[in-house]
Amino acid sequence: MLEKIEHIGIAVKDLENAEWIYAKLLNTSSYKREEVASEYVITSFFQSGPNKIELLVATDEKSAIHKFIEKKGEGIHHIAFAVDDIVSEMQRLKEEGFTLLNEQPKKGADNKLVCFVHPKGTNGVLIELCQEIKVEE
Ligand code: ZN
């Protein structure tokens, strides 16, 4: 099932500047920057109480973040829900008629397996499912 909101993703044009703004807003600095080369983005995470904010900046014009900003400008890009079993949740959503943007879960930022649900079926909001990757020792 879809558990708590894991984070909210915000598309930005200038990561340095956005980090400066969100550091002031949340009164804490970014705890992690991570590049997801396959998606042509750099992410920066903030923790504020139980809430997480992910800033996303494009590193290439091929990036979905670049296209999003071209079309809509900066702003909320996606809402991510934590799931305990991403594969079964993807199956359930597919059966419910949602369009998944990837067939298989893929490796996202912050040690997560992720899958995106197309915003055309969710009233214009891009939804991300994310499952923590458990490291087996
Ligand atoms: Zn995200």
Side-chain angles (χ1 to χ4, degrees):
M1 70 172 195
L2 267 62
E3 294 168 353
K4 65 163 188 165
I5 290 178
E6 215 285 329
H7 62 269
I8 293 174
I10 300 175
V12 305
K13 286 183 188 165
D14 178 339
L15 190 58
E16 301 277 330
N17 185 252
E19 281 178 332
W20 179 71
I21 290 167
Y22 277 80
K24 280 197 299 183
L25 178 73
L26 304 173
N27 198 23
T28 184
S29 39
S30 164
Y31 67 88
K32 173 153 66 171
R33 247 197 205 194
E34 186 178 343
E35 181 164 11
V36 184
S38 59
E39 298 293 318
Y40 309 103
V41 296
I42 298 171
T43 62
S44 179
F45 287 93
F46 288 79
Q47 185 83 43
S48 176
N51 305 306
K52 249 162 74 180
I53 299 286
E54 174 187 36
L55 304 178
L56 302 119
V57 70
T59 57
D60 191 283
E61 290 191 359
K62 283 181 284 210
S63 168
I65 296 300
H66 176 81
K67 289 170 196 151
F68 178 89
I69 290 175
E70 290 266 280
K71 242 170 95 179
K72 299 189 168 177
E74 294 184 295
I76 293 181
H77 177 257
H78 64 269
I79 296 178
F81 288 92
V83 296
D84 54 357
D85 181 349
I86 195 166
V87 173
S88 74
E89 207 50 38
M90 286 168 69
Q91 187 59 39
R92 184 184 74 82
L93 293 178
K94 225 193 291 185
E95 285 165 10
E96 291 285 3
F98 293 98
T99 305
L100 304 182
L101 291 177
N102 29 307
E103 281 297 308
Q104 300 292 330
K106 56 183 182 178
K107 178 89 173 62
D110 205 25
N111 195 41
K112 300 279 194 295
L113 283 174
V114 305
C115 172
F116 287 91
V117 182
H118 200 292
K120 78 179 177 199
T122 50
N123 305 76
V125 180
L126 179 64
I127 302 292
E128 176 184 355
L129 310 179
C130 56
Q131 179 187 337
E132 185 93 33
I133 298 170
K134 293 189 180 75
V135 187
E136 317 233 349
E137 292 291 327

